[in-house]
Structures are given as structure tokens and as C-alpha cells.
């Protein structure tokens, strides 16, 4: 009987790690599958139309042109260029690529866990925890969030190759070279990755299994140091983004650092749904100075654990140092020109943290055998629902706008620069914008141009609210004026032309250079039959922005109604000059020239449209034929 039992046990099926990882790969994609049908959000439109990729005319343009907002991220640009070349502008395939990068990042995180511990269970749990952490949702489900996923993928590879270079004398130089390349690639996905250089000296101290000779340290460090220098030189030459230190009093900077650290640690360690959509420090002010105190205690706590554990738990200590270095650039400790907090910004810091969690779970197993299984299950039961619901919020502009306004209602940038208000139902957007302006002006002294002018004459308190809440260092005049512009637009979209005019004129009071406010004021007046007043506003809009095609077209319509064909032709000529991609401008201009009995000019206009690629030969022939008939 014992012999039979032994044979039966030996034949019992035990899945290989390949089978396990294949099953887990399927598992970690499930919460993100709804993202495949998501629509473009915010910056995604610039990616899809190629504007964020240097025009997307060639891969050279993609890697030599700054990405969105002047950042130089050629790896991200190149990945989007490849998507565009292969799949056009169908968002499904961009989301598909994001999901594939996410899976690759989870595998790379597992490899990092393996080279650190040589424990497949730790590697598996670490990779799964990283893949299912809620901060992944924004990076995976939002097309533009690819920057963080790509950065995390190459940082995981960098970490694994660095550990191999430190611990293995065999092919140490090649591992170091690979680590250097991966760190540079991570930096070319997102600048924050350069903080990962701290993993090199920390690794030499904590991870080396024997004391390395100076020559070995030099040979290991030289490629990585050279890679960092190469990156900094290329970035300084190519980036159009200026990172000048923000000028804040030391106490104010210390407050921001404390709030930022508390917020980021909560995202990393105790994420919940509302927290995922907070982008300013304003909600934390409801708790007074407590978040500031907790943040600075966290700084001290990290230092304490590093000192306490560096001999007994060198792997955990190295991961803690690595994670801390990656989160510091986005915690406002350094006075950079940004006060933003965002869930996806801590993604790369979560990478070493989740592997450290896996190591800790399996270390506890020695005392409590079920600790790893129970702990792993509890974490997944907490994280997965948050990850799934947070991913659903990124399926459309309307969904993410609603989620943010519920969590962080006074996030000014959402209502203005990102145009989030345009994504919501007009009535909802109008209510949110009115609440925002009431908060900014500390009352209702904004509801007419005269009231706004009086309130703004002593606007230091308003500017202070903008400065602490906008999320980015902005010109308060510009951003408040843009808030009025957004309100004017949503009112116009609801046919409230009188209200739209009031909001646009208030925006002009704040910032007379805001051409958009003049445009909407003109539109509101035109809809009320006040053509001559509208004409004056359109002219003011064009004076501030000569390429404003909407104002040129509106003026052309007014001139056509007045029978002034020459002036109409002048405005339409401006449209074709500034916006050659608008076929409507070429066709309407050709029609005007035909009315002026200038078929030669009409033909010339259509040929320019054909050359620009916006008018087809069939359209041109049809228009000229209709004139002859």
C-alpha cells in the first residue's frame, strides 16, 4: 500500500510556473478589459491626430519633437507613432497596446522579484500585486497614461539587470550596460525615472554578496553614470519644458511637501476610490495640519526603517530606498513648479513597494504558515474592486469629469485648461463652474461684468486660492478668465445667450487679452440678432488671435448677409491661410469668388485646397460645373 500511495502521489499533476504565470497573466488583464472600448480623453486627441508627435509625418519627427506640454519623451512618442502607423486613429488599438505594456511590466516586476530573492512565489506575488494595484488604472485605461506604464516597464528591467550586475561577476559589464540602457529608456518615457539612479549606490551597499573591489565598482557604475549624463544632455537640448524652481517661502514649501507625501503614501498603501481622483491639496485642508504632520513623520519613518533594517533585511531596505527615491520628485519636497498630485504619478514608486510587500508576506510565513495566502487574498480583495471601478472612470471624458468633480470639485485646471467642462452634460457643467467661481470669489460677486470688475480690483485672495489649488503654477488672471470662458461656452450650448454674454464679458474684465471670450460674446450677440455688436467682438477676437478661424468665418457670414462680398472673401482668405486643413474654408471662398464673377480666383482657390489635401478633385469639379450650369 505505501508503494502504491507513493506512485499515485508522484503522478499527481503539479502545474509548472509557466502555466501559473500564463493563468495569472489572464487574471491581471481582466480588470482592465473594459478600457479597450474607452474613448479618447483630454490629451488623447493630440496623440491620435499626431499633434503630440511632431505632426507624426515620420518616426524621426516623433523622436526629435517634444511630446505634450513640451516634455521630451521620445520612447512614448515612438510607441504612439507605431500605433498610428499600424492602426490609424482607432482608440481600441491604442488601449490594446497599453494593456500589452501593462502585462509586460508585470512580468518584468516578477523578474525583479526573482533576481532579488530566487523565490518564484515571491516573484509571482510581487508581479501580481504590482499589476493589480489601483494606481495602474489611470495609466492603463487612459491612452495618455502610457508614459507611466512604459516607464515602469523599463525601471523594472533596470532594477533586475542592476541586481544581476551587482551580484554576478559573470558578464557583470553586460548586465551594467543593459541596466544603463533601460534607465535611459525609462527616462525617455518619463523624467521621474532618473531618481532611480539611487538604486545603484544603495544596491552596492545592500545587495552585494561579497565586498567588491574598487575596479569592479567602477566598471559596474561607469555605464550607468554615462547613461544618466547622456540622458541629461539630450533632454536639455530637446525638451521645451522648463523646470525652474518655484519661488515659495520655506514654510509654504514644507507644508506642500508634508501634504504631498501623505497623499502619495495613502495612494500607495491604502488606496480608495475617492482618493484616486484628487488632484489638488485642497481636500486635505479640511483636516488642518494633520496631513502635513503625517507627511513629515513619514519622511522620518522611512529613514528609521532604513537604518533599522539595512543589516537584517537588505533586500527590503533596498526596495524601500528605491521606492522612496521614485516618489520624492512628485511629493513637492523639491520646489518644482508643480503642486499636482495624481494617482498615476506614483505608479513607478509602487513597483519596488509591491515587491517589498511580497517579500514581507513570505518572511512572515515562517512564523504564521498561512500569512502569505491570507495576506495576499486580503490585499487583492481590497485592491481589485478599486482598480476595476477606477478604470471604468477613465472610459470617457464625461465619466472622468464626473468622478473628479465629485472628489475634488474645485480643481480649477479640470474646468479650464483640460476642457473637462465640455465633456459633462451642460447643466451639470454649468452648476460645477458656478460653484467654482463662487468658491474663488468667496461669494456671488462674479455674476455680472460690473460685479466682477469690482471684486477683481482687490483680487489677492482670489489669486491665492488659484495659486494653491490650480495644480500647476499658472497665471491667476489667465485661469480665472478661462473659467469664465468655460461657463460662457456651456451656457451658449444651452441657448442661454444672455448668460453666455455675461460670462464672456466678465472673462474679458479679468483678462482683456482672452480672445476666446470675445469670440463667445460675438456668438451670443449674433444669436440675439445684434450683428453689428457681434462684428465688433469678432474683430477684437481676431486682433488677439489672428488664426481664430471661427471668428473669421462668423465675420464672413455677416459680410455675406450684408452683401459685402469683398470683405467676406478677405475673411475666408484668412481661414485658408491659417487653417489649410479646413476644406470648408476653400469651398466657401471659391463660392464667394464665383458670386463676384471671378472664376479664375475660384479655380485658383480650389487648386490650393487640392494641394493642401483638404479638397478633393471631385468636389472642385462639381463646384465649377454647378457654376457653369
Amino acid at each position: 500500500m505505501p508503494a502504491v500511495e507513493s506512485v499515485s502521489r508522484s503522478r499527481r499533476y503539479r502545474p509548472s510556473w509557466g502555466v501559473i504565470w500564463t493563468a495569472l497573466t489572464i487574471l491581471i488583464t481582466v480588470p482592465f478589459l473594459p478600457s479597450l472600448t474607452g474613448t479618447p480623453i483630454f490629451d488623447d486627441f493630440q496623440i491620435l491626430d499626431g499633434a503630440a508627435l511632431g505632426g507624426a509625418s515620420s518616426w524621426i519627427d516623433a523622436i526629435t519633437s517634444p511630446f505634450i506640454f513640451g516634455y521630451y519623451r521620445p520612447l512614448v512618442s515612438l510607441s504612439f507613432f507605431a500605433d498610428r502607423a499600424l492602426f490609424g486613429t482607432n482608440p481600441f488599438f491604442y488601449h490594446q497596446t497599453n494593456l500589452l505594456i501593462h502585462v509586460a511590466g508585470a512580468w518584468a516586476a516578477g523578474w525583479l522579484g526573482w533576481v532579488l530573492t530566487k523565490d518564484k512565489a515571491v516573484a509571482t506575488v510581487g508581479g501580481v500585486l504590482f499589476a493589480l494595484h489601483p494606481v495602474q488604472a489611470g495609466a492603463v485605461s487612459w491612452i495618455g497614461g502610457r508614459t507611466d506604464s512604459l516607464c515602469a516597464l523599463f525601471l523594472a528591467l533596470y532594477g533586475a539587470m542592476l541586481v544581476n550586475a551587482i551580484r554576478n561577476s559573470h558578464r557583470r559589464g553586460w548586465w551594467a550596460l543593459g541596466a544603463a540602457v533601460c534607465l535611459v529608456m525609462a527616462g525617455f518615457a518619463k523624467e521621474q525615472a532618473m531618481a532611480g539612479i539611487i538604486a545603484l549606490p544603495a544596491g552596492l551597499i545592500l545587495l552585494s554578496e561579497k565586498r567588491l573591489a574598487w575596479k569592479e565598482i567602477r566598471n559596474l557604475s561607469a555605464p550607468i553614470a554615462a547613461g544618466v549624463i547622456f540622458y541629461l544632455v539630450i533632454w536639455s537640448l530637446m525638451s521645451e519644458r522648463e523646470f525652474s524652481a518655484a519661488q515659495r517661502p520655506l514654510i509654504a514649501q514644507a507644508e506642500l511637501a508634508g501634504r504631498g507625501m501623505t497623499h502619495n503614501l495613502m495612494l500607495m498603501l491604502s488606496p480608495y476610490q475617492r482618493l484616486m481622483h484628487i488632484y489638488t491639496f485642497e481636500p486635505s485642508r479640511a483636516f488642518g495640519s494633520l496631513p502635513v504632520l503625517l507627511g513629515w513623520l513619514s519622511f522620518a519613518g522611512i529613514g528609521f526603517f532604513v537604518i533599522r533594517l539595512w543589516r537584517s533585511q537588505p533586500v527590503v531596505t533596498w526596495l524601500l530606498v528605491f521606492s522612496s527615491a521614485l516618489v520624492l520628485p512628485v511629493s513637492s519636497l523639491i520646489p518644482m513648479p508643480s503642486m499636482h498630485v495624481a494617482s498615476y504619478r506614483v505608479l513607478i514608486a509602487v513597483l519596488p513597494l509591491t515587491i517589498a510587500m511580497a517579500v514581507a508576506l513570505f518572511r512572515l510565513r515562517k512564523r504564521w504558515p498561512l500569512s502569505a495566502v491570507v495576506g495576499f487574498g486580503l490585499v487583492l480583495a481590497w485592491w481589485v474592486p478599486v482598480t476595476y471601478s477606477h478604470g471604468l472612470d477613465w472610459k470617457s471624458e464625461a465619466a472622468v469629469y464626473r468622478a473628479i468633480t465629485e472628489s475634488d470639485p474645485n480643481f480649477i485646471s479640470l474646468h479650464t485648461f483640460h476642457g473637462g467642462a465640455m465633456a459633462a452634460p451642460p447643466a451639470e457643467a454649468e452648476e460645477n463652474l458656478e460653484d467654482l467661481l463662487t468658491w474663488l470669489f468667496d461669494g456671488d460677486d462674479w455674476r455680472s461684468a460690473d460685479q466682477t470688475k469690482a471684486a477683481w480690483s482687490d483680487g489677492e485672495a482670489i489669486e491665492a486660492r488659484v495659486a494653491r489649488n490650480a495644480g500647476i503654477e499658472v497665471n491667476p488672471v489667465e485661469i480665472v478668465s478661462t473659467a469664465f470662458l468655460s461657463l460662457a461656452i456651456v451656457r451658449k450650448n444651452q441657448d442661454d445667450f444672455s448668460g453666455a454674454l455675461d460670462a464672456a464679458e466678465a472673462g474679458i474684465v479679468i483678462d482683456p487679452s482672452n480672445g476666446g471670450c470675445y469670440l463667445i460674446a460675438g456668438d451670443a450677440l449674433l444669436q440675439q440678432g445684434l450683428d453689428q455688436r457681434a462684428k465688433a467682438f469678432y474683430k477684437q477676437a481676431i486682433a488677439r488671435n489672428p488664426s481664430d478661424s471661427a471668428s473669421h468665418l462668423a465675420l464672413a457670414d455677416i459680410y455675406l448677409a450684408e452683401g459685402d462680398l469683398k470683405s467676406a472673401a478677405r475673411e475666408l482668405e484668412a481661414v485658408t491661410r491659417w487653417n489649410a486643413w479646413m476644406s470648408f474654408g476653400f469651398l466657401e471662398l471659391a463660392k464667394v469668388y464665383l458670386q463676384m464673377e471671378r472664376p479664375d480666383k475660384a479655380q485658383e482657390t480650389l487648386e490650393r485646397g487640392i494641394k493642401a489635401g483638404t479638397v478633393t478633385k471631385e468636389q472642385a469639379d462639381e463646384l465649377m460645373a454647378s457654376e457653369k450650369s
Side-chain angles (χ1 to χ4, degrees):
M1 289 296 294
V4 174
E5 183 179 356
S6 176
V7 171
S8 64
R9 284 182 178 176
S10 66
R11 291 178 179 176
R12 186 178 300 164
Y13 174 69
R14 295 181 179 178
S16 66
W17 283 105
V19 172
I20 293 174
W21 262 92
T22 300
L24 290 175
T25 297
I26 297 172
L27 170 66
I28 63 178
T29 62
V30 169
F32 304 98
L33 289 178
S35 71
L36 294 174
T37 56
T39 57
I41 296 171
F42 303 149
D43 308 330
D44 294 348
F45 294 98
Q46 297 180 54
I47 294 170
L48 294 176
D49 67 18
L53 315 176
S57 57
S58 71
W59 68 271
I60 295 294
D61 288 337
I63 65 173
T64 57
S65 301
F67 191 54
I68 297 171
F69 300 125
Y71 291 108
Y72 183 62
R73 297 172 177 174
L75 185 64
V76 179
S77 297
L78 193 60
S79 74
F80 284 127
F81 176 81
D83 274 344
R84 200 167 185 273
L86 292 171
F87 310 119
T89 59
N90 188 334
F92 173 86
F93 295 102
Y94 291 74
H95 286 297
Q96 174 185 267
T97 303
N98 277 17
L99 191 53
L100 292 174
I101 292 170
H102 167 68
V103 171
W107 278 76
W111 184 37
L112 175 57
W114 162 250
V115 298
L116 280 168
T117 65
K118 301 302 179 183
D119 188 324
K120 292 180 180 178
V122 170
T124 302
V125 170
V128 172
L129 288 177
F130 173 64
L132 294 177
H133 195 289
V135 299
Q136 290 276 8
V140 179
S141 302
W142 174 31
I143 293 174
R146 184 180 301 181
T147 54
D148 297 276
S149 294
L150 266 179
C151 184
L153 167 61
F154 280 95
L155 270 179
L157 296 174
Y158 157 71
M161 292 184 185
L162 176 62
V163 173
N164 277 330
I166 292 172
R167 288 181 171 176
N168 301 325
S169 58
H170 183 58
R171 295 182 177 177
R172 174 170 285 146
W174 287 107
W175 284 120
L177 180 61
V181 170
C182 288
L183 181 60
V184 171
M185 290 297 101
F188 281 152
K190 195 168 188 180
E191 302 76 14
Q192 185 183 349
M194 284 296 107
I197 186 63
I198 196 68
L200 172 59
L204 290 171
I205 295 171
L206 296 166
L207 300 181
S208 180
E209 295 173 346
K210 63 177 182 177
R211 187 180 182 86
L212 297 180
W214 167 245
K215 183 178 180 180
E216 292 176 305
I217 295 175
R218 183 192 63 194
N219 292 342
L220 189 158
S221 303
I224 298 173
V228 172
I229 294 171
F230 169 77
Y231 169 82
L232 293 175
V233 170
I234 297 298
W235 185 89
S236 64
L237 292 173
M238 304 300 296
S239 178
E240 295 179 358
R241 182 77 177 186
E242 295 183 3
F243 281 89
S244 57
Q247 300 300 316
R248 302 190 186 102
L250 183 61
I251 296 298
Q253 190 62 50
E255 178 198 349
L256 295 180
R259 292 188 189 280
M261 194 62 178
T262 297
H263 184 90
N264 287 333
L265 286 179
M266 289 178 66
L267 283 171
M268 295 165 69
L269 296 172
S270 58
Y272 59 91
Q273 183 62 17
R274 184 173 181 270
L275 184 69
M276 308 307 291
H277 285 300
I278 291 177
Y279 290 81
T280 73
F281 293 136
E282 200 60 33
S284 75
R285 298 184 194 279
F287 300 94
S289 298
L290 180 60
V292 181
L293 177 62
L294 291 177
W296 281 102
L297 287 176
S298 299
F299 285 122
I302 291 170
F304 171 79
F305 279 111
V306 168
I307 295 171
R308 180 74 174 79
L309 298 175
W310 77 281
R311 289 185 182 277
S312 61
Q313 302 289 341
V315 169
V316 172
T317 305
W318 181 78
L319 289 166
L320 184 62
V321 171
F322 195 6
S323 179
S324 301
L326 294 174
V327 79
L328 287 181
V330 294
S331 294
S332 295
L333 179 64
I334 303 169
M336 300 296 281
S338 172
M339 290 162 47
H340 248 154
V341 284
S343 60
Y344 47 83
R345 288 190 172 185
V346 300
L347 172 59
I348 61 174
V350 163
L351 165 67
L353 179 67
T354 48
I355 298 172
M357 291 175 64
V359 173
L361 284 173
F362 281 89
R363 294 283 166 84
L364 289 173
R365 185 178 54 178
K366 294 180 180 179
R367 293 187 178 181
W368 301 287
L370 292 178
S371 62
V373 175
V374 173
F376 183 53
L378 289 175
V379 171
L380 289 188
W382 178 0
W383 285 2
V384 172
V386 179
T387 302
Y388 178 77
S389 58
H390 184 42
L392 292 179
D393 290 337
W394 285 95
K395 286 203 65 176
S396 69
E397 279 195 340
V400 74
Y401 173 81
R402 184 172 290 108
I404 295 174
T405 52
E406 289 175 356
S407 302
D408 196 357
N410 293 323
F411 178 31
I412 300 173
S413 296
L414 173 73
H415 300 291
T416 55
F417 289 154
H418 289 307
M422 304 306 105
E428 178 184 334
E430 180 178 15
E431 181 181 354
N432 290 332
L433 285 163
E434 289 179 346
D435 289 345
L436 172 67
L437 287 165
T438 299
W439 175 79
L440 278 173
F441 283 80
D442 196 23
D444 291 335
D445 293 338
W446 57 268
R447 294 189 178 273
S448 71
D450 290 337
Q451 286 180 304
T452 302
K453 185 175 182 179
W456 189 253
S457 62
D458 185 22
E460 291 185 3
I462 301 171
E463 293 187 13
R465 288 189 183 90
V466 172
R468 79 182 192 187
N469 176 274
I472 50 179
E473 293 293 328
V474 296
N475 180 342
V477 171
E478 179 184 359
I479 201 167
V480 175
S481 177
T482 308
F484 278 110
L485 174 59
S486 296
L487 179 59
I489 292 172
V490 297
R491 284 178 173 176
K492 189 191 81 165
N493 291 343
Q494 297 178 92
D495 296 334
D496 179 7
F497 302 118
S498 177
L501 180 61
D502 286 340
E505 288 184 325
I508 292 170
V509 166
I510 300 295
D511 182 8
S513 67
N514 190 331
C517 287
Y518 287 96
L519 168 62
I520 300 304
D523 289 346
L525 289 165
L526 190 64
Q527 292 295 330
Q528 297 177 73
L530 302 172
D531 293 14
Q532 294 308 308
R533 286 189 62 193
K535 188 190 298 186
F537 275 98
Y538 288 135
K539 288 180 178 179
Q540 291 289 341
I542 292 169
R544 287 153 178 78
N545 180 15
S547 63
D548 180 1
S549 291
S551 292
H552 284 297
L553 288 170
L555 274 177
D557 285 341
I558 293 174
Y559 288 130
L560 285 172
E562 295 173 348
D564 186 353
L565 298 179
K566 185 176 180 180
S567 295
R570 183 184 66 239
E571 300 303 328
L572 290 169
E573 282 283 7
V575 174
T576 61
R577 181 172 64 254
W578 290 106
N579 295 284
W581 54 270
M582 293 181 66
S583 61
F584 178 80
F586 288 104
L587 295 172
E588 288 303 305
L589 179 58
K591 291 177 183 178
V592 171
Y593 280 132
L594 289 174
Q595 290 181 54
M596 296 170 66
E597 298 182 354
R598 297 287 305 277
D600 56 328
K601 292 290 292 183
Q603 185 65 47
E604 178 189 332
T605 299
L606 292 171
E607 288 175 357
R608 285 194 291 124
I610 293 171
K611 186 175 181 180
T614 56
V615 176
T616 65
K617 191 173 185 306
E618 290 74 16
Q619 287 176 312
D621 290 343
E622 182 180 351
L623 181 60
M624 295 304 293
S626 65
E627 172 61 21
K628 290 178 182 178
S629 63

